[in-house]
Amino acid sequence: LDSLAASIAVLDRAGTIVAVNAAWEEFARAHGADPGRCGVGANYLDVCRRAAGPHGDEAPAVERGLREILAGTRDRFGLEYPCDFLAAPRWFSLIATPLGPDRRGVVVSHLD
């Protein structure tokens, strides 16, 4: 996972982040993110649920998509979203897929 340019997080069935790649860690570090909110051990679904303000508009759709993947009612979720809190406005593509055929969790990828 560390060789990929996309920021990747692996979630367990409860939505807890169990692994991230180097790109995820570097993005978080570069932008002053709180590791307790977005690193291993944080719950991605809870973060989506608590998201508010101009950067939280897409969070309910992301949470719903991830829950549908975990429930087996969806095989893939994708969303493009703006990220304008950075130095220059950018767009990211989020893609989420099941972790394995038994849906042990979800793999979430954010690509600039």
Side-chain angles (χ1 to χ4, degrees):
L1 292 177
D2 286 338
S3 65
L4 300 173
S7 297
I8 310 262
V10 179
L11 317 180
D12 66 12
R13 284 188 172 126
T16 301
I17 300 173
V18 295
V20 296
N21 70 346
W24 181 282
E25 290 176 340
E26 176 56 31
F27 186 88
R29 191 173 27 258
H31 301 292
D34 174 5
R37 276 199 54 163
C38 67
V40 172
N43 188 288
Y44 199 104
L45 298 174
D46 288 345
V47 171
C48 289
R49 195 174 313 108
R50 291 190 315 261
H55 306 298
D57 293 344
E58 293 83 7
V62 173
E63 181 186 5
R64 185 172 47 256
L66 296 177
R67 289 189 184 283
E68 289 171 353
I69 289 172
L70 289 167
T73 60
R74 183 176 215 150
D75 290 325
R76 176 184 162 108
F77 173 77
L79 176 81
E80 289 186 358
Y81 63 96
C83 191
D84 58 3
F85 70 90
L86 304 174
R90 292 159 50 186
W91 281 83
F92 285 81
S93 177
L94 178 148
I95 298 172
T97 56
L99 176 63
D102 61 352
R103 297 178 186 265
R104 296 183 313 260
V106 178
V107 177
V108 181
S109 170
H110 296 264
L111 182 63
D112 182 355

